[in-house]
Structure formats: C-alpha cells, structure tokens
C-alpha cells in the first residue's frame, strides 16, 4: 500500500472524529432565553345561516429553555420548551353573522387573554461536511397548548404532532457557530375545551393541527464554558373541522414567530 493511499485512509478515518469534536464543543449546550412572540393569526366558522371570522395578531414576551447535544457518532438530540404570556389572537377584529339561533350579527374587537406554550423533542443523525459542518435528518415530536379568554369565557386547545426534518450546523470559528432546521410535523391528536358562566365543556373529536417549523440560531462563545445566542423560530399551525349534522365548518391558522436571545452553558 502506497504512502499516499495510507494518508488518504487516515484522513478519512480522522475527519468524522474531528468534525464530531468540533461540533460537540459548539452544540453541547443547555440554555435559557427570553423571547418576543408575534402571532398573526386567524379563525373562521360557518354554517348554512352565515359565518363569523376573527383575525389579528398579538405580540407577547416569553421565556424558554433549550438543551442540545451531539455525540462522537454525530447523533443529535434537542429538547426545548417555551412559554409566551398572551393569547395568539388579540387586538384584531371579529366580523360576520352566525345566526342559526336568532342572535345578532357579531362584530367588534377581539381583546383577549391567555397563553401559548410548546415542548419540542428531536433526535437525528448528522453527517459531517469537513471538520466544521454537518447536516442530517431528524425525527420530531411537539406538544403545544393555546389558551384564550374573552369576557369570562375561556377556550383551550392542545395539540400533539410528530414528523421530521433536516438540521444543519456550522462552526464558523472556535467561538461562533450557526444552526438551522426545517421540518414538518403531522397532527396526531388534539383536545379542546371551553368554560363559560354556566360550566365547562369538551369538544368532540377536535381536529389535530399540522405544524411547519423553520428556525435559525447563532451562538457566540465568550468563555470556555459560556455563550450568548440569538435566533428566530417560526411555527405555523393549521387545522380545519367539519361537523356534518349541522353543516358546520371551522378553520384556524396560527403563525407563531419568536425572536429569542439567551445564554447557554457548554457541557
């Protein structure tokens, strides 16, 4: 075996380990962050007698925690949870007529209270591109919870979704790294409930929501163990519902856009 072939084989064997070490130093983190969440959203309901729609967004503050790790074989794991202090639909308009029980046309402003939160889990396999970059597929799960309240009436929606996507990481230097993900999760189950002045109610077989996820983050390491990071995450929820006995149709779209800034510990 020639010296050139031996050198080539040695480089091929060492490169994945070097990539794993470089990315592990950049990605093995646990962090906390603050967020600003914007939710331009809409909802509509119709029956044979008319329709009603609500649209508008809300901008809220929030907090979150995140943990990411990569091992020597470039298996990647990620856990995160975030909570926004406010309803996803607020300050928009309500319009239309839903008059099947003789009520007056509905119009006005949708000033509501509530919250939105989500838990995300991902696991995947990265493939090194040189010593400083990697990309690969992942499987994902998300649990999301939304709550809205208006004049003593509250409504809650909880969604479970599974799917997958692609994750990429790039170490630009020993201090600066960037990551990004793109994925889609299909809704597998959901629950919905409402409370008014007369009691509590649960929806029968509410629709689960599919979730489109896009995100990017930059991390700057100012110390051997600590870094600051910032990024943006976008989750788009969409669901529709039809109840044949009453010819009732409903749909909702929630665009959850979060800007995050935080600090992380490298383990």
């Amino acid at each position: 075996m020639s010296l050139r072939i031996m050198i080539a084989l040695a480089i091929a064997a060492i490169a994945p380990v070097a990539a794993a070490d470089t990315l592990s130093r950049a990605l093995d983190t646990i962090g906390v962050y603050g967020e600003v969440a914007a939710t331009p959203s809409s909802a509509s309901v119709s029956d044979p007698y008319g329709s009603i729609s609500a649209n508008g967004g809300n901008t809220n503050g929030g907090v979150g925690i995140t943990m990411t790790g990569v091992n020597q074989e470039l298996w990647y794991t990620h856990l995160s949870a975030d909570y926004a202090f406010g309803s996803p639909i607020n300050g928009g308009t309500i319009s239309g007529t839903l008059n099947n029980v003789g009520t007056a046309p509905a119009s006005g402003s949708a000033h509501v209270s509530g919250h939105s939160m989500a838990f995300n889990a991902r696991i995947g396999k990265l493939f090194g591109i040189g010593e400083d970059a990697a990309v690969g597929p992942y499987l994902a799960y998300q649990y999301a919870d939304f709550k809205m309240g208006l004049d003593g009436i509250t409504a809650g929606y909880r969604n479970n979704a599974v799917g997958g996507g692609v994750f990429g990481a790039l170490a630009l230097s020993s201090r600066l790294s960037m990551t990004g993900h793109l994925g889609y999760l299909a809704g597998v189950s959901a629950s919905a409930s409402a409370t008014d002045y007369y009691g509590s109610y649960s929806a029968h077989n509410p629709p689960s929501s599919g979730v489109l996820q896009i995100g990017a983050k930059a991390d700057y390491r100012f110390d051997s163990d600590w870094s600051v990071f910032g990024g943006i995450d976008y989750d788009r929820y969409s669901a529709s519902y039809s109840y044949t006995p009453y010819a009732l149709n409903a749909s909702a779209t929630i665009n959850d856009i979060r800007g995050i800034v935080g600090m992380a510990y490298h383990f």
Side-chain angles (χ1 to χ4, degrees):
M1 182 179 292
S2 69
L3 179 60
R4 181 177 297 177
I5 295 176
M6 292 177 64
I7 293 174
L9 291 175
I11 293 175
I14 293 172
V17 177
D21 288 341
T22 300
L23 293 172
S24 178
R25 287 193 296 270
L27 299 180
D28 288 347
T29 60
I30 180 168
V32 294
Y33 57 87
E35 67 177 21
V36 175
T39 53
S41 307
S42 63
S44 64
V45 180
S46 66
D47 67 8
Y49 302 93
S51 64
I52 185 171
S53 63
N55 62 79
N58 202 5
T59 301
N60 306 294
V63 295
I65 184 170
T66 179
M67 183 175 69
T68 302
V70 176
N71 68 7
Q72 290 294 317
E73 289 75 35
L74 290 178
W75 283 98
Y76 150 80
T77 57
H78 169 84
L79 299 172
S80 67
D82 64 84
Y83 184 97
F85 304 101
S87 169
I89 298 179
N90 188 47
T93 59
I94 300 175
S95 62
T97 302
L98 197 61
N99 204 24
N100 58 335
V101 291
T103 58
S107 64
S109 297
H111 296 289
V112 296
S113 60
H115 69 242
S116 60
M117 63 168 289
F119 167 78
N120 288 281
R122 305 184 190 114
I123 182 170
K125 180 68 170 71
L126 298 176
F127 298 92
I129 305 173
E131 295 185 9
D132 303 322
V135 64
Y138 64 80
L139 298 175
Y141 165 78
Q142 186 195 73
Y143 169 78
D145 182 292
F146 301 98
K147 183 179 180 181
M148 293 173 281
L150 174 63
D151 295 334
I153 301 174
T154 62
Y157 178 75
R158 294 155 293 276
N159 189 66
N160 292 280
V162 297
V166 177
F167 173 81
L170 173 64
L172 296 172
S173 69
S174 60
R175 293 182 178 272
L176 181 63
S177 63
M178 296 188 67
T179 59
H181 67 274
L182 170 64
Y184 181 80
L185 287 65
V188 294
S189 66
S191 62
S193 59
T195 302
D196 62 15
Y197 302 105
Y198 303 102
S200 299
Y201 314 91
S202 296
H204 173 69
N205 193 28
S208 55
S209 175
V211 188
L212 171 66
Q213 295 188 317
I214 304 172
K217 185 180 74 171
D219 182 286
Y220 179 75
R221 197 165 180 170
F222 62 87
D223 180 81
S224 59
D225 295 325
W226 295 94
S227 66
V228 293
F229 62 87
I232 186 168
D233 288 314
Y234 170 59
D235 288 3
R236 177 182 175 87
Y237 301 85
S238 57
S240 59
Y241 179 69
S242 296
Y243 189 54
T244 304
Y246 296 101
L248 181 69
N249 296 286
S251 65
T253 298
I254 296 175
N255 295 290
D256 188 6
I257 306 168
R258 303 183 307 279
I260 65 173
V261 176
M263 181 175 290
Y265 173 75
H266 292 249
F267 56 87

